[in-house]
Amino acid sequence: HGGKGTGHHGGHTTPEILNSFLIVSGPAAQRGTFAEQVYLVDAPVTALAHLGAKPKDDWKLDGKAVGLK
């Protein structure tokens, strides 16, 4: 979540707010760039998948695991 300057509103078309990065490393990482758009909500799901943990449905996580073999 973010904002620009001292606020946390607006800027929904500002690249510095919309763009984030995700780096996946280790033996389970797939080399190369992502073929699809990656979202911030993908980060926790990817971390859980890397650890071999399956998210529970009641956690209501919206993301998907990305960058793993």
Side-chain angles (χ1 to χ4, degrees):
H1 118 59
K4 189 169 182 182
T6 59
H8 284 91
H9 62 282
H12 297 287
T13 58
T14 306
E16 304 94 289
I17 294 171
L18 290 177
N19 295 328
S20 61
F21 62 91
L22 178 65
I23 298 172
V24 180
S25 180
Q30 185 175 356
R31 294 184 65 88
T33 58
F34 296 109
E36 298 178 19
Q37 176 68 41
V38 176
Y39 298 96
L40 189 56
V41 296
D42 297 331
V45 179
T46 300
L48 288 168
H50 176 69
L51 295 171
K54 182 170 173 39
K56 295 181 181 180
D57 291 336
D58 60 332
W59 294 354
K60 299 180 181 178
L61 297 177
D62 293 332
K64 63 184 182 304
V66 293
L68 301 174
K69 294 179 186 176

